[in-house]
Structure formats: C-alpha cells, structure tokens
Amino acid sequence: MATVPSLLNASFLTPKPLTQHKTLPCTKPTSLFFFPSAFASFSTLQRHRFNGQTPIAASLKVTFGENVGRFKKTLGDFTSLNYWVVRDYYRLVDSVNALEPEILRLSDEQLTAKTSEFKKRLSQGHTLSDIQAEAFSVVREAARRKLGMRHFDVQIIGGAVLHDGSIAEMKTGEGKTLVSTLAAYLNALTGDGVHVVTVNDYLAQRDAEWMGRVHRFLGLSVGLIQKGMTAEERRTNYQCDITYTNNSELGFDYLRDNLAGNSDQLVMRWPKPFHFAIVDEVDSVLIDEGRNPLLISGEASKDAARYPVAAKVAELLMRGLHYNTELKDNSVELTEEGIALAELALETNDLWDENDPWARFVMNALKAKEFYRQDVQYIVRNGKALIINELTGRVEEKRRWSEGIHQAVEAKEGLKIQADSVVVAQITYQSLFKLYPKLSGMTGTAKTEEREFLKMFQMPVIEVPTNLPNIRKDLAIQAFATASGKWEYVSQEVEYMFRQGRPVLVGTTSVENSEHLSDLLKERNIPHNVLNARPKYAGREAEIIAQAGRKYAITISTNMAGRGTDIILGGNPKMLAREIIEDSLLSFLTREAPNVEIDGMEISRKVLSKIKVGPSSMALLVKAALMAKYVGKSEGKSWTYQEAKSIISESVEMSQSMPLKELQKLIDEQSEMYPLGPSIAITYLSVLKDCEVHCTKEGSEVKRLGGLHVIGTSLHESRRIDNQLRGRAGRQGDPGSTRFMVRYMQAVVDEIVFANADPLKHPRYWSLAKLLKEFVAIAGNLLDDSFAAISEEDLLQSLKQLHNSNSVAIDTFHLPNLPKPPDGFRGIHRKNSSLKRWLAICSDDSTKNGRYRPMINLLRKYLGDILIASYLNIVQESGYDDVYIKEIERAVLVKTLDCFWRDHLVNMNRLSSAVNVRSFGHRNPLEEYKIDGCRFFISMLSATRRLTVESLLHYWSSPMESQELFLS
C-alpha cells in the first residue's frame, strides 16, 4: 500500500510562512470539515495566505477561469439532446400562444362546447396531435377562469412532454399539478379514461377537487378513488373521463378485480382497464417503491396462539450465547445452547419436528426482537402494528410483512395477533404500470434515474426549464467529526436563522432523528413543527408544509414528507384562510374532537404572526358561526368531525367555482332554508383577500431575509433524494439556501472500536492491544507521550474501574487513570448535556446490543475526544486561517477519494467477470454482483475515511516530515 502522504501533491502541501497579526475569533465550530461543491485547483490554494491577501495576477486568473467555466457550461447546454428537444417543443408553445387571443373572446358556454367539437373531430379521423395546440389553449383559458392560474410557457412544454409518454422533470414549485391538466384533458377526449396517480389520498383528493374544476368546467367527468369506498363507488369513479387515485388504491383494485368471481364484482374498465396514466412523483412510485409487491392474502393456518409463546421464548434467549445474527440479510441462527433452551421452554424434543414445527415461530420472534423496532420500522396505532416506509417516512396501513414476521411483531408488542396468511395475488408497481399502453410521469428529480426509466419503461426524462432563474444558494457540505457535534451545530444554525426570522426546513432520515432534534430545539425554547410518521403529525402533513415558508417557521421533517405541497414564502393564503374558517366554525358544526393527536401546534402558532382579518371578514365569520349553530340546533343535526370538515371543504370548492354574485343570489333565494354552504363560501372569499394581503407582505420580508433555508442532516445513498430536499427552497425564482451536514472523524474511531470490542463479552476478552495499535497508527505523532505510553493492561484496568463506577460526568469525562483530552475539546458539548443524551446521539443501528455496550460507547467517546481535541489544538497552533485549513481538509478528502474510487472501478470490473463462474454453483450472478459490489463500496468508503483522517493528522502533526515524504 502506498505511503499515506504520497497521495498528495508536494507543492500543494508546502507549509506557508506565517505573518504576525491579529485575527478575528472563529464563531463556527472547528470540529468540522467544509467541502465546497466546486473544487478549486491545488495551485489556487497557494493564494490563501494568513493575511487573506490575493495577488492581482492570481485574481485575474481566477476571474478568467470562472468565465471559461461559464462558457463551457453554456456550450454544454447548447450541445445537449435535452436542449434540442425542449427547443422543438417551443414550436407548440408558439402555436398555443397564437391561438390565445381567439380563445379569450369565447364565452364560458362556447369554451365548454370546445370539448364536444374536439370529440367530433377525433371521430372524423383527426388525431390528438392535430388538436393538441388548440386543446392546450382551451385548458389554459379554463384554468385562468376557474382557478385564476394561467399556464406558463414552460408548463405548456411540460404538458406536451406528458402527452408524448415521457417524464417531465420540473423543479419544485414550478406547478406540476397544473401541468397535468393539459395532458389529462387531451387524452381524456378519446373516452378511454385517464388515471392521474398521486402518492397519497390527500393529494388525490386535493387534485380532484382543485384541478377537477377545470375538467368539469370543460364538460368532462372527474372521479376520485379513496380508501374506504365501496365497490359501487369505485366502479362509478373509474368510469369517469379522468380519475384521480393513489398508487396503492389503484394496485389493490387491479388485484381484487383479478380475484373477482364474476363480472358484477369488477370495478375497473374491463376489458381495457388501462389507457393513459400520469404518475405524480414518478421516481418515488416507480423507483423508490417500484419493486415493493402489493399483496392480497388469504387466511391460512390458525396458529395465532403460538406467536405470543414464541415471543416469551425469544425474551429468554441471549444474543451471542443462544443465537447469532447477521445484519446484512436480517437472519438469525440458533446455537446448540439456544436450541436446548428453546426446546426445554417449549417442552418439545425437536424444534424442527414436522408434526409440531416451533422453529419458524421462534426464529421469527428473534427477528422481531433484533431487527424490527417501534418508531423505526413500525408504529403502534389503535392496537395495530403499522409499517413505516423507510424511504418516505409515511405509515402504510395496508402493508403487512409476510412469512409470519408481522405476527411476530404483534406478539412482541402484546397486540392482537392477526391470522397467518398466504399470498393469493401480488404485483409490483413496476409491473402494474407496464400494463398501460401509454405512461407518463412528473417529478422534480428523475434525471439521475433516467437509465432505469428507459430500460424498464422506455420513458425518456426531459428537463423542463424553470419559469424564472433559480437563485437558490447551495452552501458547502459540512462534515463533522462527531454525531453530537453535528446535531449541536444543526440546532445552533436553526436558532441563528430563527432569530433573524428566516423560515427553516430540516430534513431528517428517521423518526428518531427528527424527535431528537425536536428535543434539542425545545431546550433552546425554539418553537417548531415536526412532521414524521407518527399519527399525531400525519394528519397535518399538508398544513405544516404549506406554512413552512412563513416568517419564523421552523419545520423538522423526514426527507420525503410533504411532497406535492408547495412551500410559499410568507405562507399559503388559501390554506391560511381555510384554517381560519375551520378554527372559527368547527366548534359550532360539531362537538366531536379530532381523531388525531396534535402536538406542539400551539407553541409553534404563538410565534407566527397573527392573520388580521378586516371588519367585514370578522362580521361574516360571526354570521356564519351563528348560522352553523342555528342550523344544527333547529334541525337537530349532529355532524361528526370529518363531516364538518367536509362541509367546509365543499363550501371552499363552491367559492372557487361560482362567482360572488351567484353565491349571494343563492343566499337571497334560499334565505328560509339557511344556505350554510354559500354563506361559508362568501366568508372564505373575504378572509382569503385578507390572507393574500398578509402573505404578500410577509413573503416580501422573508425574501429580503434570504428566503427558505433548508438543512439536510445527512446525505442519502441516492443523490436524487438529497436533490428533492434541496428543491424545497428557491421556488419560482425565490431566494433560498441549502446546507447538508454529515458524520466523519468520529466514524473512524468507531470503526476501530467496533472491530476490536464485543458488547457481549467482558473487556478482558477484547482485542485491546490491537485496538491501541490501530488508534496510535492513525494518530501518528499527534498524541503526546503520556498517551503513547498506555499499555493494554492500563486500558483494561481503566475499563474495569469505569464498569464499577456508579456515575459519569459527560462534560469532564475521561477514562479513569488515563490522560484527559486536551483543553481544546472543551465547549464542543453543551454544559447541560447528559450522558444518556450523548449515548442516544452516538448510538448506531448496527451496534450490537449487550451488557457491555455502554462501556463501548464511552470508549468511543474517550478516544474520539482525544483524537479530535488533539487535532483542533495542533491546527490552532499552526496559526493558519480557517479558509486555508478548510481548503487543506477538502483537498485531502478529494485526492484520497479519487485514489480509492479508481481502485473501486477496477474491482467492480473484475467482479463482473468473476461472478459469472458462480452460476455453476446454482447462484444468481446478478444478485452475487449486487451483494459483493455493495460490500466493496462500503469498504471503499471506510478506507477513504480512515486514510483521509490519517493523512490530515500526519500532515498537521509533522508538516516538514510530510513534505520530505512527498518529495521522495
């Protein structure tokens, strides 16, 4: 293996002469690395002197380089296939724009009659392409009249992309929902039915009500498929010209139809149930969840009583003694001792007896114990264990784990055991959507998956230009030495933005992380909203995200939650107006409490500015409240909470589908019948005007402050997932910024500790000598003589003493009788942090449980503190400014990663040839390639981390020695 420093350029790492003058104190934590997205060349690093002066020639060189970069980028865009495809679509845009003056002159009746005219022309032999420009112009005018929204030119392009059976990649906030009306209307003219598929019930209902106004105005029927509908209701809605549904309902309806005993039980359009589909968030449906099978199960054996017994046996068995686990494939293996104990507890002579098979139940109980955790893989709601989708963070009520796993989880939680089942029908989303003769989709991030879309569905991805230039600032990624340091800095950055009034959206990867950050913000008295899979938040998903752009709004969300809802700076006036109406009227319409737990809403609302409605709106609110109370009392009506919300929803829809004069006319004509709906509709329109004024004013303030700030707390394996989070900021030319923060130096220490310490065994059985050797090899000359003299016996005695102690102070913690971390580490952890808190932060899902796990975590902390504090001290003593230090850290990482990445590509090429031989052993070469390739990649990342840290430590501890090695 090459010497560590030889990876780097010698001239680049030449130590610079120091100039003596004062510097401003650094306000940011120095325990993190900064990796800007654009790499500076190594030669430019020489310009970063301690005094910050840059020679004129170097400045001119940089300016010229930036201009060349811009030229190359423009030239690249010009020569790309996407550029020419979009350019061709502008011909259609010109045609649509040319027709607009003519369409504008049509009356509502004449505009509606265009639908019949189009259908007639199609029956006479015209094609959809022949009428496309005119149909798009009609839809644009209908949307302007019914929604107050006129399609931008780029939205016309998006509609054309969908009509051509492609995927339209449109950035967040560019109006994908409105774009769908163009292709949906045009393809519905054939009478074969169009499906608009969303990712959840809320979005399907919202779009059917909202966009449905355009289609209904033009004479098309609009259907909606929702959970809980009867077969007759589903049949009616599938017969509509355009049907809105979510992917889950669509898939299960198809499976149920295939199990139907006769034609009367069918709900879809048979014999041709599929014609054309527009899939919203197509990457989420066809890639993230594409291979997840939808299952319909039938009841099998009546073994429900065995699961609780097996769960009790699993509690008796100890990992490492009675069974072993394999994290890679979530498998368990019983030892001889485990088999004997299980057979004794179950009073059976053979755990694998065919006539009395207990083995499957015990193994599933152990898997439920080890690999399935509440609030991570599932939540418990209303006496049921509900699966949390690991990608979206949403609860999937209709999914159940197969092969008895779900029953084992139910037994572990003490829930009622659902009968075991066998699969009678199944299909994946990818197989389902291949049944459509014509398929299209839209999303904000699909280009990175274009190859898979082309391979699986023959759908190209077309990047639709933004309506306005994107001015969002994507700040440098920050890598932290410790997880605790990362979360500490996240909370600091949130507080900093909050004090300014800027809205912040924090993306997390799990329920646990979102609630941990929530606890940290509560300690700082920062009001915020949390959005994750828990039921108390799920009911407010759209409401929380819609108001995440308001001044002082802080939102913590799982990365995928809230997709499909725009974040408007200053707040969404329509949602705010509806919220005011509900707050004012629901208590008069129903006495029933909402069936969702609401947590933290009041504290978050206190800090958001109140919407001041005018006197006329206030008078209408009072009048509508009195009318609601009177109607309920006089007619003896008692609405449920959901029925009351439906009344308000229908009234809001009425307000946007009928002119004000017609609403007032309804009230005048039906004054004796207490027309509650029109009264609420008029009230909503008045409140909406007040909300629009407020949101516009507040939005201007938020833009002045810099717009929405998005923080990503970790990088996802898929770059597309990260881009989805980034895309929440910078909507429609708005200002905004993003920053991602990740775990680094501590990870190297953790790997050393985990490789040499077993939480199931006493420290005397740990490989302490090897652990110390690896740690000292990484640190090099950075450690002082006192630590270098530590022996294996010293460390063992210290750990024993720690194990026997009753309490540990986290702020001053160090292993007994061993050197303390240098003073430079003080202040990184907050003084009110507790040991329990730190252990929760540093815990890793892959860390084994065991009696000595707390000791391992404390050893991780101690060695990490030693390494990081020593690094911070020596960097500070070097006298270089933060800019130069960050450049060094970034360049070392890039150079190291580049080296290992080349080796990784070579290894992958060799692997592709080697796995073919395994087919002779009846093993799937493709699966073998995926498994080994993943292992290679993880090893490559681990080696990169270790060598990067080792290179940095060697450089700063002995720069002159490093220089000699580079030159040799």
Side-chain angles (χ1 to χ4, degrees), residues 483-499:
S484 55
K486 177 186 75 172
W487 290 112
E488 182 67 18
Y489 189 66
V490 169
S491 59
Q492 287 178 5
E493 184 153 321
V494 169
E495 182 175 23
Y496 174 75
M497 294 294 176
F498 174 74
R499 301 305 175 200

Side-chain angles (χ1 to χ4, degrees), residues 288-294 389 391 396 399 427-430:
D288 297 337
E289 302 180 57
R291 294 187 179 90
N292 289 343
L294 296 170
N389 187 305
L391 293 168
E396 300 191 342
R399 275 185 62 198
I427 193 171
T428 63
Y429 287 126
Q430 290 187 348

Side-chain angles (χ1 to χ4, degrees), residues 404-418:
I405 293 295
H406 212 104
Q407 287 83 357
V409 171
E410 289 169 335
K412 183 182 78 168
E413 296 294 341
L415 306 175
K416 180 181 178 182
I417 308 298
Q418 305 295 320

Side-chain angles (χ1 to χ4, degrees), residues 253-262 265-266 296-297 424-425:
D253 281 338
Y254 175 74
L255 291 178
R256 282 190 288 263
D257 274 9
N258 276 273
L259 295 174
N262 55 67
Q265 297 175 339
L266 301 175
I296 290 185
S297 304
V424 295

Side-chain angles (χ1 to χ4, degrees), residues 576-577 580-581 584 610-621 683-684 686-691 694:
L576 283 173
I580 291 172
I581 295 291
S584 303
K610 286 272 188 177
I611 306 296
K612 296 180 180 178
V613 298
S616 58
S617 298
M618 184 60 70
L620 288 170
L621 280 170
T683 306
Y684 172 81
S686 179
V687 173
L688 179 59
K689 289 182 180 178
D690 296 331
C691 290
H694 176 91

Side-chain angles (χ1 to χ4, degrees), residues 319 325 327 330 370-371 373 376-377 509-510 512-513 743 754 840-849 853 860:
R319 183 170 60 177
T325 62
L327 291 171
N330 281 11
E370 293 291 336
F371 307 122
R373 295 189 296 159
V376 179
Q377 280 79 27
T509 55
S510 70
E512 286 181 325
N513 286 341
R743 298 171 69 184
F754 290 148
I841 296 171
C842 77
S843 293
D844 192 303
D845 291 347
S846 62
T847 308
K848 294 180 180 179
N849 283 313
R853 178 177 176 177
R860 290 166 58 196

